[in-house]
Amino acid sequence: MRRITHVAYTWLVIGLGAWGLARLFSFLDLDYGRHFLAFIVLGVAAEWLAVNFPHGQLSGGFALVLATFILFDAPAAAWTGALATLISQGFLPRGNPLRTVFFNAAQHVLAVMAGNYVFLRVAGAAGNRLTVELAAGLLAFSGTYFLVNHLLVSLYVAPKRSLYPLLSWWDALRWDGFTCLFSIPIGLLMALLYREAGLSGVVLLFLPVLVVQFVLRLYVHMELTNRELLALYHVARGLSQRLDVQEILDLVLKETRRVVSYHSGVIYLWSEEKRYFKARAAAGPFREKLCKSVVFSGEGFIGWVIENGEPEIIHDVREDPRVRQEPGLFQVLRSLMVIPLLADTRTVGALVIGDKRPFAFNENHLHTISVICGQVAVAIANTILMKRLAESANTDGLTGIYNHRYFTYRADVEYRRTRDAGLPLALIMLDVDNFKLINDRFGHVAGDAVLVELARLLRDAVGEAGVVCRYGGEEFAILLPGCDAARAGALAGELRRLVREHHFAVEGMPRQVRISLGVAACPQDAVDVTTLVQRADQALYGAKKAGKDRVVLYEQLAELPR
């Protein structure tokens, strides 16, 4: 519906502009045809050097419009401006669709007609005499022309305004207003020079307009470049403040929208465990589905880009034979951009963004976002490395679970957290019965294999409910935040049964493994971490003394035979 409305609006303006030209033609004084032609040539030059940007264009052509209006009246201003626009944008290649060319010419005609109407109401019968009424009328004409022109263009580009996040409506209004204010005095001087020196004076005065217009083009391009650099700065600043991978990925998807608008986006990261690239962050209407997707290196177009290590743009999936049969995003979006995340020579992931419009992305977008992705890839690689270093410092080298160092840290953290929240904290201490006998009879290799298998068994059984650590030797500790002694005792009993029934696949060792477990909890049995460990250790010792292969809670120690 929105597209139909926009098309209807476009052709309504074109139709009104054509009607206006037809109506004004009979008022043209063709005796000045040679002069009109000169003004049209200057107008073509102004339009050719216009500063184009997504929300419109900046041109000093209004100086010619105002001079023509003063010298030859509204019909000449409308016709010369419309013809200059049609020639510069239509016959000379500028890449504009035909309807856009017609619209630009038509909105110029309507702006002149509206300005002339207001001029006649303000200036009245001032004629060509330099009076206050005439000056006010010319200012009214200029203001009306500017407002009508800007309103018509703003409505025309409104559906695509969100596609260019680097630019705002205020930018277009500010730049257009500056151009208009500069053009008004130039137009007045051109009219005066024409009466004194003829066309040569007009041409000489208009040359500085073209120079200023060229400088304005450089300024606009520089400001847009600065905004792209600002997006890079936000990324760099965000990366310096973040060490969490997920926060980095969310930042990338957010800052990418500063550079280019997109419908959907997803970031894949390499998974060492799974051996494929897994979606870790996504944005857009397909976010939930994208978060479940994976990519294998070398498979499909995205996998090929990852393996190749070079960013790629698909301007239109319907026309590109490389992706015509690809599933997923390629079936619902028209444009896609795939950028590998490269850290040194290693690909740590890939950014994929897409839009429903064909040709939504260009080489400038690719370059800027590639720079962002380069920063991000290094940050992700460094974050992963730091995480691995931290894990290696906190991980037991034999079993792969947390070590005694991490247990001490985590126990203190969980104690304070559960105490402040009014929750219990339980601790299970356990060790392998007769472990020295296993080492002596089957060797230390077999003993180590038992510890590795036992650690895996405990970690899988406890899961997210607790933290499993190797406390030392054949002794293990299990922290259970939010769990009281009774529930911890039930879990300990389940672990004891699980170990008894498990077949330890250790070569040359037919013997089954048995464990003893001691349980204590805060605040029931202890008021600090040190006491909690002591009480759980005492309960474990009680289980050993009572015959091993059993669970003992600290509160049960008094009931055990001495």
mmCIF file of all heavy atoms in Angstrom, residues 500-538:
data_model
loop_
_atom_site.group_PDB
_atom_site.id
_atom_site.type_symbol
_atom_site.label_atom_id
_atom_site.label_comp_id
_atom_site.label_asym_id
_atom_site.label_seq_id
_atom_site.Cartn_x
_atom_site.Cartn_y
_atom_site.Cartn_z
ATOM 1 N N ARG A 500 28.617 -46.479 41.504
ATOM 2 C CA ARG A 500 28.604 -47.928 41.744
ATOM 3 C C ARG A 500 28.183 -48.681 40.486
ATOM 4 O O ARG A 500 28.709 -49.759 40.182
ATOM 5 C CB ARG A 500 27.619 -48.266 42.872
ATOM 6 C CG ARG A 500 28.146 -48.012 44.277
ATOM 7 C CD ARG A 500 27.095 -48.378 45.312
ATOM 8 N NE ARG A 500 26.729 -49.796 45.221
ATOM 9 C CZ ARG A 500 27.333 -50.769 45.901
ATOM 10 N NH1 ARG A 500 28.342 -50.483 46.721
ATOM 11 N NH2 ARG A 500 26.938 -52.021 45.779
ATOM 12 N N GLU A 501 27.209 -48.137 39.741
ATOM 13 C CA GLU A 501 26.661 -48.850 38.587
ATOM 14 C C GLU A 501 27.434 -48.568 37.290
ATOM 15 O O GLU A 501 27.176 -49.201 36.273
ATOM 16 C CB GLU A 501 25.198 -48.448 38.387
ATOM 17 C CG GLU A 501 24.318 -48.853 39.564
ATOM 18 C CD GLU A 501 22.880 -48.364 39.401
ATOM 19 O OE1 GLU A 501 22.623 -47.650 38.387
ATOM 20 O OE2 GLU A 501 22.046 -48.670 40.266
ATOM 21 N N HIS A 502 28.348 -47.641 37.352
ATOM 22 C CA HIS A 502 29.078 -47.273 36.134
ATOM 23 C C HIS A 502 30.255 -48.209 35.906
ATOM 24 O O HIS A 502 30.985 -48.557 36.851
ATOM 25 C CB HIS A 502 29.592 -45.827 36.236
ATOM 26 C CG HIS A 502 30.311 -45.344 35.013
ATOM 27 N ND1 HIS A 502 29.653 -45.013 33.856
ATOM 28 C CD2 HIS A 502 31.631 -45.166 34.766
ATOM 29 C CE1 HIS A 502 30.521 -44.624 32.958
ATOM 30 N NE2 HIS A 502 31.749 -44.711 33.477
ATOM 31 N N HIS A 503 30.433 -48.607 34.667
ATOM 32 C CA HIS A 503 31.578 -49.447 34.312
ATOM 33 C C HIS A 503 32.713 -48.548 33.841
ATOM 34 O O HIS A 503 32.609 -47.885 32.811
ATOM 35 C CB HIS A 503 31.195 -50.435 33.202
ATOM 36 C CG HIS A 503 32.366 -51.226 32.685
ATOM 37 N ND1 HIS A 503 33.026 -52.154 33.451
ATOM 38 C CD2 HIS A 503 33.004 -51.191 31.480
ATOM 39 C CE1 HIS A 503 34.026 -52.677 32.743
ATOM 40 N NE2 HIS A 503 34.026 -52.103 31.537
ATOM 41 N N PHE A 504 33.768 -48.492 34.604
ATOM 42 C CA PHE A 504 34.918 -47.667 34.260
ATOM 43 C C PHE A 504 35.758 -48.415 33.229
ATOM 44 O O PHE A 504 36.374 -49.433 33.530
ATOM 45 C CB PHE A 504 35.748 -47.350 35.504
ATOM 46 C CG PHE A 504 35.125 -46.301 36.367
ATOM 47 C CD1 PHE A 504 34.066 -46.617 37.212
ATOM 48 C CD2 PHE A 504 35.571 -44.993 36.328
ATOM 49 C CE1 PHE A 504 33.480 -45.646 38.005
ATOM 50 C CE2 PHE A 504 34.998 -44.015 37.119
ATOM 51 C CZ PHE A 504 33.939 -44.334 37.962
ATOM 52 N N ALA A 505 35.782 -47.900 32.021
ATOM 53 C CA ALA A 505 36.465 -48.576 30.916
ATOM 54 C C ALA A 505 37.955 -48.288 30.978
ATOM 55 O O ALA A 505 38.508 -47.554 30.152
ATOM 56 C CB ALA A 505 35.876 -48.130 29.587
ATOM 57 N N VAL A 506 38.595 -48.848 32.008
ATOM 58 C CA VAL A 506 40.033 -48.684 32.178
ATOM 59 C C VAL A 506 40.698 -50.019 31.883
ATOM 60 O O VAL A 506 40.383 -51.037 32.512
ATOM 61 C CB VAL A 506 40.382 -48.215 33.604
ATOM 62 C CG1 VAL A 506 41.897 -48.085 33.764
ATOM 63 C CG2 VAL A 506 39.690 -46.885 33.899
ATOM 64 N N GLU A 507 41.590 -49.999 30.916
ATOM 65 C CA GLU A 507 42.203 -51.251 30.466
ATOM 66 C C GLU A 507 42.968 -51.933 31.609
ATOM 67 O O GLU A 507 43.768 -51.304 32.312
ATOM 68 C CB GLU A 507 43.155 -50.967 29.310
ATOM 69 C CG GLU A 507 43.753 -52.211 28.696
ATOM 70 C CD GLU A 507 44.632 -51.910 27.500
ATOM 71 O OE1 GLU A 507 44.651 -50.728 27.085
ATOM 72 O OE2 GLU A 507 45.281 -52.830 26.991
ATOM 73 N N GLY A 508 42.689 -53.267 31.774
ATOM 74 C CA GLY A 508 43.402 -54.053 32.778
ATOM 75 C C GLY A 508 42.858 -53.902 34.178
ATOM 76 O O GLY A 508 43.433 -54.433 35.128
ATOM 77 N N MET A 509 41.720 -53.178 34.347
ATOM 78 C CA MET A 509 41.179 -52.967 35.691
ATOM 79 C C MET A 509 39.728 -53.425 35.752
ATOM 80 O O MET A 509 38.814 -52.684 35.408
ATOM 81 C CB MET A 509 41.260 -51.480 36.077
ATOM 82 C CG MET A 509 41.060 -51.238 37.585
ATOM 83 S SD MET A 509 40.805 -49.503 37.978
ATOM 84 C CE MET A 509 39.076 -49.324 37.581
ATOM 85 N N PRO A 510 39.481 -54.668 36.173
ATOM 86 C CA PRO A 510 38.112 -55.166 36.246
ATOM 87 C C PRO A 510 37.359 -54.637 37.462
ATOM 88 O O PRO A 510 36.149 -54.776 37.567
ATOM 89 C CB PRO A 510 38.317 -56.685 36.359
ATOM 90 C CG PRO A 510 39.638 -56.821 37.047
ATOM 91 C CD PRO A 510 40.480 -55.675 36.579
ATOM 92 N N ARG A 511 38.081 -54.018 38.384
ATOM 93 C CA ARG A 511 37.504 -53.600 39.656
ATOM 94 C C ARG A 511 36.545 -52.420 39.467
ATOM 95 O O ARG A 511 36.840 -51.463 38.747
ATOM 96 C CB ARG A 511 38.635 -53.201 40.606
ATOM 97 C CG ARG A 511 38.183 -52.790 41.997
ATOM 98 C CD ARG A 511 39.403 -52.293 42.769
ATOM 99 N NE ARG A 511 39.021 -51.879 44.106
ATOM 100 C CZ ARG A 511 39.014 -52.687 45.162
ATOM 101 N NH1 ARG A 511 39.365 -53.947 44.995
ATOM 102 N NH2 ARG A 511 38.664 -52.260 46.349
ATOM 103 N N GLN A 512 35.389 -52.472 40.139
ATOM 104 C CA GLN A 512 34.463 -51.336 40.143
ATOM 105 C C GLN A 512 34.965 -50.290 41.134
ATOM 106 O O GLN A 512 35.722 -50.577 42.053
ATOM 107 C CB GLN A 512 33.053 -51.787 40.526
ATOM 108 C CG GLN A 512 32.357 -52.590 39.441
ATOM 109 C CD GLN A 512 30.936 -52.946 39.846
ATOM 110 O OE1 GLN A 512 30.711 -53.509 40.920
ATOM 111 N NE2 GLN A 512 30.002 -52.628 38.977
ATOM 112 N N VAL A 513 34.493 -49.044 40.954
ATOM 113 C CA VAL A 513 34.936 -47.934 41.789
ATOM 114 C C VAL A 513 33.843 -47.586 42.793
ATOM 115 O O VAL A 513 32.654 -47.590 42.459
ATOM 116 C CB VAL A 513 35.280 -46.712 40.912
ATOM 117 C CG1 VAL A 513 35.630 -45.504 41.774
ATOM 118 C CG2 VAL A 513 36.437 -47.036 39.980
ATOM 119 N N ARG A 514 34.282 -47.304 44.020
ATOM 120 C CA ARG A 514 33.358 -46.879 45.066
ATOM 121 C C ARG A 514 33.811 -45.525 45.590
ATOM 122 O O ARG A 514 35.007 -45.210 45.579
ATOM 123 C CB ARG A 514 33.335 -47.881 46.226
ATOM 124 C CG ARG A 514 32.951 -49.298 45.815
ATOM 125 C CD ARG A 514 31.451 -49.369 45.501
ATOM 126 N NE ARG A 514 31.039 -50.743 45.258
ATOM 127 C CZ ARG A 514 31.000 -51.309 44.078
ATOM 128 N NH1 ARG A 514 31.377 -50.618 43.002
ATOM 129 N NH2 ARG A 514 30.586 -52.552 43.932
ATOM 130 N N ILE A 515 32.850 -44.714 46.026
ATOM 131 C CA ILE A 515 33.180 -43.400 46.585
ATOM 132 C C ILE A 515 32.479 -43.206 47.910
ATOM 133 O O ILE A 515 31.425 -43.801 48.185
ATOM 134 C CB ILE A 515 32.786 -42.258 45.615
ATOM 135 C CG1 ILE A 515 31.278 -42.295 45.315
ATOM 136 C CG2 ILE A 515 33.608 -42.295 44.351
ATOM 137 C CD1 ILE A 515 30.787 -41.101 44.488
ATOM 138 N N SER A 516 33.076 -42.370 48.761
ATOM 139 C CA SER A 516 32.460 -41.932 50.009
ATOM 140 C C SER A 516 32.216 -40.435 49.927
ATOM 141 O O SER A 516 33.019 -39.699 49.328
ATOM 142 C CB SER A 516 33.375 -42.244 51.192
ATOM 143 O OG SER A 516 33.573 -43.636 51.322
ATOM 144 N N LEU A 517 31.111 -39.983 50.544
ATOM 145 C CA LEU A 517 30.713 -38.578 50.394
ATOM 146 C C LEU A 517 30.307 -37.990 51.741
ATOM 147 O O LEU A 517 29.641 -38.660 52.556
ATOM 148 C CB LEU A 517 29.531 -38.436 49.420
ATOM 149 C CG LEU A 517 29.721 -39.047 48.028
ATOM 150 C CD1 LEU A 517 29.121 -40.451 47.997
ATOM 151 C CD2 LEU A 517 29.076 -38.180 46.962
ATOM 152 N N GLY A 518 30.725 -36.739 51.968
ATOM 153 C CA GLY A 518 30.321 -35.999 53.157
ATOM 154 C C GLY A 518 29.618 -34.721 52.748
ATOM 155 O O GLY A 518 30.017 -34.066 51.771
ATOM 156 N N VAL A 519 28.564 -34.357 53.505
ATOM 157 C CA VAL A 519 27.716 -33.208 53.132
ATOM 158 C C VAL A 519 27.584 -32.261 54.314
ATOM 159 O O VAL A 519 27.350 -32.691 55.447
ATOM 160 C CB VAL A 519 26.314 -33.677 52.684
ATOM 161 C CG1 VAL A 519 25.452 -32.478 52.302
ATOM 162 C CG2 VAL A 519 26.419 -34.653 51.525
ATOM 163 N N ALA A 520 27.717 -30.949 54.022
ATOM 164 C CA ALA A 520 27.445 -29.890 55.005
ATOM 165 C C ALA A 520 26.811 -28.725 54.272
ATOM 166 O O ALA A 520 26.889 -28.628 53.034
ATOM 167 C CB ALA A 520 28.731 -29.458 55.697
ATOM 168 N N ALA A 521 26.155 -27.842 55.029
ATOM 169 C CA ALA A 521 25.462 -26.711 54.397
ATOM 170 C C ALA A 521 25.493 -25.486 55.289
ATOM 171 O O ALA A 521 25.571 -25.589 56.526
ATOM 172 C CB ALA A 521 24.022 -27.087 54.061
ATOM 173 N N CYS A 522 25.442 -24.315 54.663
ATOM 174 C CA CYS A 522 25.266 -23.036 55.341
ATOM 175 C C CYS A 522 23.813 -22.591 55.155
ATOM 176 O O CYS A 522 23.239 -22.792 54.083
ATOM 177 C CB CYS A 522 26.185 -21.971 54.743
ATOM 178 S SG CYS A 522 27.928 -22.171 55.056
ATOM 179 N N PRO A 523 23.242 -22.000 56.166
ATOM 180 C CA PRO A 523 23.798 -21.661 57.489
ATOM 181 C C PRO A 523 23.542 -22.764 58.529
ATOM 182 O O PRO A 523 23.817 -22.558 59.708
ATOM 183 C CB PRO A 523 23.049 -20.394 57.838
ATOM 184 C CG PRO A 523 21.708 -20.581 57.206
ATOM 185 C CD PRO A 523 21.928 -21.380 55.950
ATOM 186 N N GLN A 524 23.019 -23.893 58.101
ATOM 187 C CA GLN A 524 22.650 -24.957 59.043
ATOM 188 C C GLN A 524 23.850 -25.497 59.816
ATOM 189 O O GLN A 524 23.793 -25.680 61.033
ATOM 190 C CB GLN A 524 21.980 -26.103 58.275
ATOM 191 C CG GLN A 524 21.578 -27.294 59.130
ATOM 192 C CD GLN A 524 20.923 -28.379 58.297
ATOM 193 O OE1 GLN A 524 20.438 -28.120 57.204
ATOM 194 N NE2 GLN A 524 20.913 -29.596 58.817
ATOM 195 N N ASP A 525 24.958 -25.729 59.112
ATOM 196 C CA ASP A 525 26.117 -26.367 59.735
ATOM 197 C C ASP A 525 27.307 -25.431 59.893
ATOM 198 O O ASP A 525 28.251 -25.759 60.636
ATOM 199 C CB ASP A 525 26.566 -27.574 58.906
ATOM 200 C CG ASP A 525 25.445 -28.580 58.698
ATOM 201 O OD1 ASP A 525 24.709 -28.852 59.669
ATOM 202 O OD2 ASP A 525 25.294 -29.080 57.565
ATOM 203 N N ALA A 526 27.322 -24.309 59.171
ATOM 204 C CA ALA A 526 28.480 -23.419 59.212
ATOM 205 C C ALA A 526 28.047 -21.989 58.927
ATOM 206 O O ALA A 526 26.996 -21.759 58.326
ATOM 207 C CB ALA A 526 29.526 -23.867 58.191
ATOM 208 N N VAL A 527 28.864 -21.032 59.384
ATOM 209 C CA VAL A 527 28.543 -19.616 59.189
ATOM 210 C C VAL A 527 29.559 -18.934 58.291
ATOM 211 O O VAL A 527 29.480 -17.727 58.081
ATOM 212 C CB VAL A 527 28.488 -18.886 60.549
ATOM 213 C CG1 VAL A 527 27.302 -19.379 61.374
ATOM 214 C CG2 VAL A 527 29.800 -19.056 61.318
ATOM 215 N N ASP A 528 30.508 -19.665 57.726
ATOM 216 C CA ASP A 528 31.459 -19.108 56.771
ATOM 217 C C ASP A 528 31.998 -20.237 55.917
ATOM 218 O O ASP A 528 31.764 -21.430 56.180
ATOM 219 C CB ASP A 528 32.584 -18.346 57.460
ATOM 220 C CG ASP A 528 33.327 -19.184 58.492
ATOM 221 O OD1 ASP A 528 33.683 -20.340 58.178
ATOM 222 O OD2 ASP A 528 33.532 -18.698 59.612
ATOM 223 N N VAL A 529 32.756 -19.866 54.874
ATOM 224 C CA VAL A 529 33.247 -20.859 53.921
ATOM 225 C C VAL A 529 34.256 -21.800 54.565
ATOM 226 O O VAL A 529 34.215 -23.022 54.346
ATOM 227 C CB VAL A 529 33.884 -20.143 52.701
ATOM 228 C CG1 VAL A 529 34.579 -21.153 51.794
ATOM 229 C CG2 VAL A 529 32.835 -19.379 51.927
ATOM 230 N N THR A 530 35.138 -21.266 55.359
ATOM 231 C CA THR A 530 36.161 -22.108 55.988
ATOM 232 C C THR A 530 35.527 -23.197 56.843
ATOM 233 O O THR A 530 35.899 -24.381 56.766
ATOM 234 C CB THR A 530 37.098 -21.246 56.846
ATOM 235 O OG1 THR A 530 37.702 -20.231 56.030
ATOM 236 C CG2 THR A 530 38.195 -22.094 57.483
ATOM 237 N N THR A 531 34.537 -22.805 57.625
ATOM 238 C CA THR A 531 33.851 -23.783 58.477
ATOM 239 C C THR A 531 33.062 -24.782 57.640
ATOM 240 O O THR A 531 32.997 -25.972 57.963
ATOM 241 C CB THR A 531 32.907 -23.059 59.450
ATOM 242 O OG1 THR A 531 33.639 -22.060 60.165
ATOM 243 C CG2 THR A 531 32.298 -24.037 60.444
ATOM 244 N N LEU A 532 32.478 -24.302 56.557
ATOM 245 C CA LEU A 532 31.704 -25.191 55.681
ATOM 246 C C LEU A 532 32.595 -26.304 55.124
ATOM 247 O O LEU A 532 32.211 -27.484 55.109
ATOM 248 C CB LEU A 532 31.092 -24.379 54.541
ATOM 249 C CG LEU A 532 30.297 -25.181 53.493
ATOM 250 C CD1 LEU A 532 29.048 -25.806 54.122
ATOM 251 C CD2 LEU A 532 29.913 -24.293 52.307
ATOM 252 N N VAL A 533 33.783 -25.940 54.674
ATOM 253 C CA VAL A 533 34.708 -26.948 54.130
ATOM 254 C C VAL A 533 35.126 -27.917 55.230
ATOM 255 O O VAL A 533 35.188 -29.144 55.015
ATOM 256 C CB VAL A 533 35.936 -26.260 53.504
ATOM 257 C CG1 VAL A 533 36.968 -27.305 53.063
ATOM 258 C CG2 VAL A 533 35.529 -25.401 52.314
ATOM 259 N N GLN A 534 35.394 -27.385 56.408
ATOM 260 C CA GLN A 534 35.799 -28.251 57.523
ATOM 261 C C GLN A 534 34.690 -29.244 57.887
ATOM 262 O O GLN A 534 34.944 -30.442 58.095
ATOM 263 C CB GLN A 534 36.151 -27.398 58.747
ATOM 264 C CG GLN A 534 37.419 -26.583 58.588
ATOM 265 C CD GLN A 534 37.659 -25.655 59.772
ATOM 266 O OE1 GLN A 534 36.779 -25.451 60.623
ATOM 267 N NE2 GLN A 534 38.865 -25.056 59.825
ATOM 268 N N ARG A 535 33.447 -28.768 57.938
ATOM 269 C CA ARG A 535 32.327 -29.633 58.326
ATOM 270 C C ARG A 535 32.064 -30.703 57.266
ATOM 271 O O ARG A 535 31.800 -31.876 57.590
ATOM 272 C CB ARG A 535 31.077 -28.793 58.567
ATOM 273 C CG ARG A 535 31.241 -27.774 59.707
ATOM 274 C CD ARG A 535 31.279 -28.442 61.056
ATOM 275 N NE ARG A 535 31.793 -27.612 62.109
ATOM 276 C CZ ARG A 535 31.097 -26.673 62.765
ATOM 277 N NH1 ARG A 535 29.851 -26.410 62.423
ATOM 278 N NH2 ARG A 535 31.660 -25.988 63.748
ATOM 279 N N ALA A 536 32.134 -30.321 55.979
ATOM 280 C CA ALA A 536 31.941 -31.308 54.918
ATOM 281 C C ALA A 536 33.073 -32.331 54.929
ATOM 282 O O ALA A 536 32.853 -33.534 54.690
ATOM 283 C CB ALA A 536 31.878 -30.601 53.560
ATOM 284 N N ASP A 537 34.292 -31.878 55.227
ATOM 285 C CA ASP A 537 35.434 -32.785 55.299
ATOM 286 C C ASP A 537 35.299 -33.743 56.483
ATOM 287 O O ASP A 537 35.639 -34.934 56.393
ATOM 288 C CB ASP A 537 36.723 -31.984 55.413
ATOM 289 C CG ASP A 537 37.917 -32.693 54.808
ATOM 290 O OD1 ASP A 537 37.720 -33.392 53.795
ATOM 291 O OD2 ASP A 537 39.031 -32.554 55.345
ATOM 292 N N GLN A 538 34.771 -33.220 57.574
ATOM 293 C CA GLN A 538 34.528 -34.073 58.748
ATOM 294 C C GLN A 538 33.469 -35.131 58.435
ATOM 295 O O GLN A 538 33.595 -36.297 58.858
ATOM 296 C CB GLN A 538 34.087 -33.224 59.941
ATOM 297 C CG GLN A 538 35.194 -32.342 60.502
ATOM 298 C CD GLN A 538 34.686 -31.356 61.535
ATOM 299 O OE1 GLN A 538 33.532 -31.411 61.964
ATOM 300 N NE2 GLN A 538 35.541 -30.420 61.955
#
